[in-house]
Structure formats: structure tokens, C-alpha cells
Amino acid sequence: MPTAPLPDPASDFVPFATAALDLHRAINLPDAPIAASRTELDTLHAHLVALYGLLDAHTTSTAPVAGVEGDHLRACRIRLWQAADHLHAAFHAAPHPDTGRLPAREACRARLPEGAPALTVCQRHLATSARVRRDHTPADLRAPFTGLTRH
């Protein structure tokens, strides 16, 4: 189905964001094994949530006119949310910066918020998870397989 060409975007910032991530990795991450800090995990979570929003917009506009492409974008969006969910869990498993102590197992199991500024990652995660639950079924979010072989 032919569609009218899209207007050129005002500026394409995605390549700059990609270059910034590559530069960040090259400059800030040592070759030696070292655990990611809570700040780094929080920032990566924010980045994935923003990328989820971008893919969500592309999926919403693409799926009605290009079904197969929309399915692939939808599967990508699901996997990206799963990655953000794992980053959120990693944030809460990481040692506290001021004490270096790991969170207590009881606090992790109870999923108790840790207060500001650590709560911002939870607020961002909960706000996005509400949108994710509207757009995807629990089976979609837990499936180990994307189902893309149907195309």
C-alpha cells in the first residue's frame, strides 16, 4: 500500500544520541571489571524508557500501514521494556553509594521504595509500566519467544 512520503524531520537527533552513548562508553567505562554504579543504572534506565517511548510512537504510526514492520517494532518494544525492567531490578540490587552496603533481602522482596533520589527510577518505571500494561498482555511481556517466524 503506497503512502505519502513523510516530511523530512526538523533534525534527526538519534544519530547524535547513538554517538553520545558510544563516546560515554569509550571515555567512562574502564577495561577492568567493575560493577555499574546506581547512578549509571538509573541513567541507562532513563535512556531505555525514552527509547521505549520513541519505539512506541513508531510502532503506533507504522502498524496500521505496514503490518509486518509494525509486528517487528512491537516485538522490539516488548524486549526493550524487558531490558528496562531488568535495569530497574539491577538498580535495586546495586550497593548504596554512601555506605557501599547491598540492600537487605527483605527490602528487595518487599520492593520498598528507598526514598529520594533513588525513588526517581521507581517513579519513571511505574509511570512507563502503566502504559506498558495498557499496550501489552502479561503473556506478551513474559514470553521468551517473539513469534516473529510467522512472517
Side-chain angles (χ1 to χ4, degrees):
M1 163 188 259
T3 60
L6 295 174
D8 289 335
S11 295
D12 192 2
F13 297 110
V14 176
F16 293 113
T18 303
L21 285 173
D22 289 340
L23 183 64
H24 171 77
R25 181 181 36 82
I27 292 174
N28 293 326
L29 296 181
D31 291 333
I34 186 168
S37 69
R38 289 170 73 93
T39 303
E40 181 81 2
L41 294 171
D42 182 21
T43 304
L44 287 171
H45 184 268
H47 186 77
L48 282 186
V49 167
L51 191 55
Y52 178 89
L54 178 63
L55 277 171
D56 186 44
H58 280 298
T59 303
T60 302
S61 64
T62 301
V65 294
V68 174
E69 184 181 348
D71 281 347
H72 285 285
L73 289 173
R74 186 172 187 275
C76 181
R77 185 178 60 173
I78 290 169
R79 298 305 174 249
L80 195 60
W81 172 250
Q82 290 171 335
D85 199 33
H86 283 288
L87 272 172
H88 181 248
F91 174 87
H92 287 294
H96 293 276
D98 48 345
T99 63
R101 292 189 339 214
L102 292 173
R105 287 182 183 246
E106 294 78 25
C108 289
R109 272 191 226 118
R111 298 189 183 268
L112 298 174
E114 300 176 34
L119 187 57
T120 58
V121 68
C122 295
Q123 290 171 334
R124 179 186 329 110
H125 196 73
L126 288 172
T128 307
S129 69
R131 185 170 69 194
V132 169
R133 283 192 305 273
R134 274 194 314 266
D135 295 340
H136 306 290
T137 67
D140 289 340
L141 299 174
R142 303 267 189 272
F145 176 67
T146 62
L148 294 177
T149 58
R150 67 178 182 216
H151 300 297

